[in-house]
Amino acid sequence: MEKQAIEEAAKIIWSTWHADQRIEAIPSAYRPKTRIDGYQVQAQVARLSAQRVFGWKIAATSKAGQQHIGVDGPLAGRLLEKHVFLPGAGIPLTNNIMNVAEAEFAFRMARDLPPRNTPYSIAEVIAAVDTMHPAIEIPDSRYRDFASAGAAQLIADNACAGYFVLGTATRTDWRQHDLARHRVTAHINGNLAREGKGENVLGDPRVALTWIANELSRVGESLRRGETITTGTCIVPAAIAPGDHVVADFGAFGRVETRLLS
């Protein structure tokens, strides 16, 4: 994409987000056509936000999730610092068009994984991790019909990023556990709403983390020391409403909770 088109597309996305509004699509003159286009717009959106990039998220890490938003593979998006909350904090749900909560494995990086010509292996990526955390994501979109926007526009829109709650780092030695088989549950207002396993995230959260390291490398971006990466939902997204109390329980790895505000 030309620089002016990138800038105009990013202005539209960020002004829509900042005003808590929705659009049908980015106008065709500025609309990203490829994944690389989408990431260029996304990077400019982050610059316009004037917020620190807290980390990254992965959307569509299951076949069902990909079908739901009409894409053929995962998407990476930035987590902006003002949209990240501590455990137990209240999260505004006003005008959210997705209205779901997701339980996710998140990882904080101990060192950078810069772009390179050869793919990173799972072992290399896991060796670069500092801590693992239980997390909740509350996704959202700036498109009224996000399911028909397509991968390039969804990437430009930060891969449906909304709000993120990062739990306390687990004290359990997670490197010695089979994360694919690990059970995760979500309770809403004290009732079991969903249960799933780590294998619902590209087969294993460690595989998902490696995917994003290589996806970013391909487009000239890096995972950086101190950033947190949330790897996609282990459960079928659970419907939520203002006033709900959501708890994601990762068993031996801990739990994280939030309350949704109107």
Side-chain angles (χ1 to χ4, degrees):
M1 288 181 72
E2 295 183 358
K3 182 179 179 181
Q4 182 181 359
I6 293 169
E7 291 177 348
E8 291 299 324
K11 286 178 184 176
I12 291 165
I13 291 293
W14 178 243
S15 63
T16 300
W17 195 348
H18 188 63
D20 200 18
Q21 296 177 343
R22 299 293 181 274
I23 58 173
E24 297 299 332
I26 297 171
S28 59
Y30 314 125
R31 190 178 304 160
K33 302 297 192 298
T34 68
R35 295 173 73 93
I36 291 176
D37 292 345
Y39 286 120
Q40 290 176 324
V41 175
Q42 183 189 117
Q44 180 63 13
V45 170
R47 286 189 283 270
L48 289 176
S49 78
Q51 296 180 38
R52 181 176 68 90
V53 175
F54 182 84
W56 297 83
K57 62 157 289 182
I58 312 176
T61 51
S62 70
K63 289 297 182 184
Q66 291 164 18
Q67 291 171 1
H68 180 57
I69 60 174
V71 298
D72 60 4
L75 315 172
R78 287 164 167 83
L79 297 174
L80 301 178
E81 63 176 338
K82 292 183 180 179
H83 292 79
V84 178
F85 291 80
L86 294 173
I91 291 181
L93 202 61
T94 305
N95 207 27
N96 186 303
I97 64 171
M98 289 187 167
N99 293 311
V100 295
E102 303 177 342
E104 312 198 0
F105 285 92
F107 301 87
R108 178 163 286 166
M109 304 306 295
R111 60 175 183 269
D112 294 356
L113 293 177
R116 70 183 197 186
N117 293 329
T118 56
Y120 286 101
S121 68
I122 293 175
E124 287 178 299
V125 172
I126 295 305
V129 171
D130 182 12
T131 52
M132 192 265 278
H133 305 245
I136 295 172
E137 188 188 5
I138 311 293
D140 199 7
S141 177
R142 274 43 69 180
Y143 305 114
R144 290 190 183 91
D145 184 7
F146 55 86
S148 67
Q153 286 200 99
L154 290 172
I155 290 170
D157 187 36
N158 238 351
C160 302
Y163 293 111
F164 178 67
V165 184
L166 181 66
T168 303
T170 182
R171 295 184 178 182
T172 300
D173 187 1
W174 59 271
R175 297 173 193 270
Q176 302 303 314
H177 285 252
D178 184 348
L179 299 188
R181 292 174 178 259
H182 191 80
R183 181 172 177 264
V184 178
T185 61
H187 287 76
I188 297 179
N189 302 325
N191 299 311
L192 178 64
R194 292 282 190 272
E195 57 183 319
K197 292 182 179 179
E199 66 188 5
N200 293 332
V201 183
L202 290 182
D204 190 309
R206 290 167 289 204
V207 172
L209 185 64
T210 305
W211 175 86
I212 195 172
N214 288 317
E215 175 80 346
L216 297 182
S217 178
R218 280 190 289 271
V219 298
E221 297 282 358
S222 303
L223 293 183
R224 300 185 183 280
R225 178 183 176 183
E227 289 183 339
T228 297
I229 296 83
T230 191
T231 52
T233 184
C234 300
I235 61 169
V236 174
I240 52 176
D244 284 348
H245 177 228
V246 180
V247 177
D249 193 334
F250 289 71
F253 299 141
R255 51 187 272 168
V256 58
E257 62 186 281
T258 187
R259 189 171 296 278
L260 303 167
L261 309 176
S262 58

